[in-house]
Structures are given as structure tokens and as C-alpha cells.
Amino acid sequence: MKLLRGLILGPVLMLAALPASAQEDLRIDGDWTHTASGMVFPERLGNALRTRIHSYDAEQLDVSAGYSLRRGGELGFVTLYVYPAPPGQHCADAFAEIERNVARSYADVKLALQDRWPSPSGATPDVAYHARFTMTGTLDGKEQPLTSESYLFCPAGGTWLVAARGSWSRSAKLEDAFAELLHGLDWPPELDDAESADDN
């Protein structure tokens, strides 16, 4: 997968191999709702501007939205994903696979932080998985030291997974802006209803 402006991401999520004809960038003006889950991808979210909506399947069940994030003159990129949960896969296992794919994609990647986050609204603690990495990669066409964060939330019911990937220059310190972007989304109740930590 790629974010815009030359920020190359590794195969962060284990997506099914699909023919190119099944994948497409969606031409959307204004806010866009992922019909199957009710997730809304606004055109603008605080200081973040949506740059792309991409569907990985013909039914538009597996989608992502890219955002450019600016704060204090610093630039970062965030991609949000909503996609069907693989049957029988626990949230912890799905996130471990995300981490392994990040580690395989960069020669000098280091895990800087691994913790649990609350549900998107903040109502239920320690139900989402979060990791911060450092590596060298390309941002806005320039190779440089980067900070990259991965997030995975598994709503109750096991139907959908909600993931996010953010990357920015290591000097930019956009960690709080990344968290604020996620909390600023208008989460449908079905996606904000978290399973217990024991179930995940």
C-alpha cells in the first residue's frame, strides 16, 4: 500500500490478493460514509485533510482513507482502514501480524512503544492495540528518520476491524495529533462497542 506524496508503507494489513480491477480510488467530494459499517470518513478532520479513499474490493467492504496531517508547520500522513474481520481470528493475533509486517518492511525498524488504547470514544479502556516504531523511510519524497504508529480496534461482534497507520518525521512529534484524529472521528455505535480485553 502507499500513502500519497511518496510515503511508502509496507504490507501493514493482511489483505486478500485481489485483481487490480476490483480495486479503485473512489472519487468523492465531501464526507463519505462506508455503507456496510456506517463509518464516516470526513473530508476534513481538525487539521487533517482527506487525500484519498481507496476500495480494495468491488463491494467496497474493505476500504481505506488517507489524510494529510499538519500541526505547527509539521506534516504527517495517516491512513484509516475498515475491513471485514477474518473469521475466528483474535484481535491480538491480528495486531501481531500487523507488527510483523511492519518489521519485515524496514531494515532498521525498532519497536519504541507497545500499549493498549481505549475504545475510539474513550468510553472503554484498554481494548485497542497500539504500537510505535522508529525507522528510516520516505516521507513526502525525502528519505529520513520516521516515527510510525499502528492501531487496531476490534469492535464487539467480530464483524469489522478498524485500523490506522500514521507516519511523520521523527522530529515532528505528531503523536498527540494522531490520537486526536482518531478520537475526533464520528464512530458508529456498532464500531465503538468494544469487546472486553479478555475476549480480544
Side-chain angles (χ1 to χ4, degrees), residues 5 8 13 23 26 35 45 62 70 78 84 94 105 109 151 154 156 160 162 174-175 185 194 196 198:
R5 301 173 187 260
I8 301 176
L13 305 178
Q23 301 190 42
L26 305 181
T35 304
L45 188 60
D62 186 347
R70 296 183 182 274
V78 173
S105 300
V109 65
Y151 164 97
C154 301
W160 299 100
V162 180
L174 291 176
E175 291 85 350
L185 288 165
S196 70
D198 292 338

Side-chain angles (χ1 to χ4, degrees), residues 22-46:
Q23 301 190 42
E24 63 174 333
D25 282 340
L26 305 181
R27 298 181 181 277
I28 304 293
D29 292 322
D31 298 350
W32 182 75
T33 300
H34 180 235
T35 304
S37 69
M39 184 72 186
V40 177
F41 296 102
E43 186 172 29
R44 182 177 291 275
L45 188 60

